[in-house]
Amino acid sequence: MKKIQMKTPLVEMDGDEMTRIVWQWVKQLLLEPYIDLKTEYYDLGLKNRDKTDDKVTEESALATKKYGVAVKCATITPNADRVKEYDLKKMWKSPNGTIRAILDGTVFRTPVLINGITPFIPTWKKPISIARHAYGDIYKGVEMQVKGPAKAELVVTKENGEVIRETIHDFTSDGIIMGMHNIDASIEGFARSCFNYALDMKEDLWFSTKDTISKKYDHRFKDIFAEIFKNEYAEKFKAAGIEYFYTLIDDAVARVIRSEGGFIWACKNYDGDVMSDMIATAFGDLAMMTSVLVSPDGCYEYEAAHGTVTRHYYQHLKGEKPATNPIATIFAWTGALKKRGELDDIPELSEFAEKLEKACVETIENGIMTKGLAALSTIENKTIVDGEAFTKKIAENLEKKL
Ligand code: NAP
Ligand code: MG
């Protein structure tokens, strides 16, 4: 078979520990035999981030802006222990945070569904994707403990010296306060990313806040979404046969549980943080969650939702064969290849990625899986294999399809 040719390179961001090993399995066993893989390689492994004073992370994000599509391996976010372990020059920032700050994107997380691995919510038949706004609110909050009695106020000082004040609370005893903010431009970017992604996926978009209580703050989110939808997307949604739907967060929670899935749920920063873990857990397994960062100007960065699977890496270093599930990493690659195929008009690249995804799903549905999945599945006659053997089984299935 002639290898599939690519036009534009994918931005390839390599990473750390066990997922760096999985990265090699995926490339060598599933991609390179069939695709003349064209990538611009950035090594985001912690050693190289340290060596380059983290410049490599910034460069990889800028390359994503240039080419439009990236695929990223999980990376270590250093803490004090990692600084010692890797003898780091300093405690480098989270690579995902750095990339997000440059691309100004929204993170969409979606589970891979398999027959025989039943979500904890039995009505869910299709995936639910969470879109999390990744800027501001309590994550940039300023907090204080207040010793009462005291008066706490919100004060805004304009450039021309005008001062606007509002009392938060007249404390007669001790208490706490917090000031938080968001920026219209960031909310607008969030809205456009969500509308674009819904069009890409051909799925309804839900958005929820608590605007009945937060009549200015949350209401601003609601208004910005409504205005951008009306002016820029209403026609496109109609043509695609999908809907935009706004509701209160409490109502959304109730509807999500009763739904059969198959939509995108846009959430403010904190709601998205909490709800994405709820959705991931209810669908079964972190190793089956994919994630994509979409920027308002249409750049895509695909990755697995899980981390570097440190515990498995130490097993690997001892010569053992860990049960690391490669599915989310494979789907990061297929997502990126499909998008590249679509943008560069290479249908055979997109078709290949579809076949690889099917090969993954069928391998599991035929009863071959890693230990973590086996614990969740109702499939009979299971064969439990280690991560590398599982990847090889997927390769055999893929070979049959091509
Ligand atoms: P983790 O790597 O996601 O792993 C936590 C546990 O989840 C694993 O020990 C394993 O459970 C299970 N697991 C996750 N992915 C799996 C897979 N593909 N196959 C099988 N089991 C899987 O989270 P962590 O241990 O908290 O973090 C490790 C490192 O990853 C940290 O340095 C953190 O900074 C980094 N991290 C990076 C990202 C990212 O790059 N996006 C995200 C999160 C964390 P068992 O041990 O029970 O088998
Ligand atoms: Mg969280």
Side-chain angles (χ1 to χ4, degrees):
M1 202 185 96
K2 211 172 133 264
K3 285 191 189 182
I4 299 167
Q5 297 297 311
M6 294 175 64
K7 289 176 190 161
T8 318
L10 267 182
V11 178
E12 176 183 354
M13 304 170 175
D14 207 347
D16 288 300
E17 297 192 316
M18 197 60 210
T19 41
R20 192 176 175 102
I21 312 281
V22 171
W23 202 252
Q24 287 310 317
W25 299 342
V26 173
K27 284 179 67 180
Q28 286 167 8
L29 297 169
L30 302 174
L31 304 176
E32 284 166 355
Y34 310 105
I35 305 173
D36 209 351
L37 210 55
K38 206 173 181 179
T39 73
E40 193 164 293
Y41 180 85
Y42 292 87
D43 183 1
L44 267 56
L46 188 48
K47 275 187 210 140
N48 194 47
R49 273 183 276 149
D50 195 51
K51 197 173 131 207
T52 62
D53 292 333
D54 209 20
K55 289 276 182 311
V56 66
T57 308
E58 199 184 317
E59 284 163 5
S60 73
L62 293 174
T64 308
K65 264 191 163 320
K66 175 174 167 197
Y67 294 115
V69 186
V71 56
K72 180 179 170 290
C73 180
T75 45
I76 293 169
T77 297
N79 55 18
D81 290 341
R82 298 294 200 170
V83 172
K84 258 196 235 140
E85 183 184 350
Y86 283 81
D87 191 20
L88 300 179
K89 293 180 204 158
K90 65 185 246 196
M91 201 187 294
W92 304 108
K93 283 195 207 150
S94 146
N96 285 38
T98 303
I99 294 166
R100 221 178 283 152
I102 293 172
L103 294 181
D104 177 26
T106 300
V107 177
F108 298 86
R109 273 177 141 201
T110 308
V112 177
L113 293 199
I114 307 279
N115 285 323
I117 299 188
T118 323
F120 287 99
I121 312 290
T123 49
W124 290 358
K125 307 281 184 248
K126 297 180 218 158
I128 297 169
S129 302
I130 292 272
R132 174 184 171 188
H133 186 208
Y135 179 84
D137 301 350
I138 63 165
Y139 301 86
K140 293 242 180 233
V142 180
E143 310 178 314
M144 262 186 227
Q145 280 193 9
V146 178
K147 288 271 161 223
K151 181 190 191 69
E153 291 176 291
L154 274 181
V155 180
V156 176
T157 311
K158 295 214 182 168
E159 218 171 18
N160 66 7
E162 185 194 341
V163 175
I164 305 164
R165 281 171 194 279
E166 185 127 18
T167 303
I168 297 170
H169 191 66
D170 278 310
F171 285 92
T172 53
S173 59
D174 295 355
I176 41 183
I177 55 168
M178 173 166 68
M180 61 181 196
H181 79 279
N182 222 298
I183 297 168
D184 283 5
S186 174
I187 303 168
E188 288 161 13
F190 174 44
R192 289 198 178 91
S193 300
C194 291
F195 291 130
N196 287 337
Y197 193 70
L199 286 167
D200 264 7
M201 301 290 288
K202 298 223 172 10
E203 285 181 345
D204 290 349
L205 177 69
W206 297 15
F207 180 45
S208 56
T209 73
K210 190 73 182 172
D211 68 287
T212 46
I213 299 298
S214 173
K215 287 186 166 52
K216 293 202 174 114
Y217 198 105
D218 278 20
H219 215 286
R220 188 78 193 125
F221 278 81
K222 179 184 176 182
D223 286 347
I224 287 176
F225 266 70
E227 201 177 301
I228 291 181
F229 180 70
K230 188 168 125 254
N231 295 337
E232 300 171 32
Y233 291 94
E235 295 296 321
K236 292 180 194 160
F237 268 52
K238 209 167 165 193
I242 56 174
E243 275 182 23
Y244 168 60
F245 167 65
Y246 175 85
T247 188
L248 276 176
I249 179 102
D250 0 17
D251 181 51
V253 168
R255 284 172 189 262
V256 164
I257 296 297
R258 286 195 308 261
S259 79
E260 61 168 43
F263 55 89
I264 299 153
W265 181 12
C267 292
K268 287 178 60 205
N269 209 348
Y270 173 80
D271 298 341
D273 185 352
V274 177
M275 292 307 163
S276 64
D277 279 16
M278 190 272 283
I279 297 278
T281 309
F283 272 111
D285 194 342
L286 203 54
M288 302 294 279
M289 285 301 279
T290 64
S291 179
V292 55
L293 175 73
V294 182
S295 75
D297 55 353
C299 297
Y300 292 75
E301 183 244 320
Y302 294 84
E303 63 178 318
H306 59 76
T308 59
V309 212
T310 311
R311 201 180 67 83
H312 294 202
Y313 182 56
Y314 287 109
Q315 292 176 343
H316 166 82
L317 290 181
K318 278 193 277 175
E320 292 167 22
K321 295 237 166 229
T324 319
N325 181 346
I327 294 284
T329 302
I330 297 172
F331 274 67
W333 275 96
T334 54
L337 291 169
K338 273 196 273 185
K339 183 49 83 181
R340 206 60 276 170
E342 180 194 317
L343 295 175
D344 292 347
D345 196 19
I346 315 173
E348 58 274 29
L349 191 59
S350 308
E351 281 157 24
F352 170 84
E354 294 276 354
K355 283 182 185 156
L356 175 50
E357 289 182 355
K358 282 217 181 77
C360 289
V361 171
E362 284 173 17
T363 303
I364 302 169
E365 288 178 352
N366 290 338
I368 297 163
M369 62 195 81
T370 47
K371 205 168 107 204
L373 276 182
L376 297 166
S377 100
T378 55
I379 296 167
E380 285 174 33
N381 304 319
K382 283 176 276 215
T383 310
I384 296 176
V385 290
D386 64 71
E388 188 175 10
F390 179 53
T391 314
K392 286 183 178 154
K393 284 288 176 195
I394 295 169
E396 282 171 25
N397 253 331
L398 175 65
E399 186 75 30
K400 282 185 213 148
K401 293 191 169 302
L402 294 171

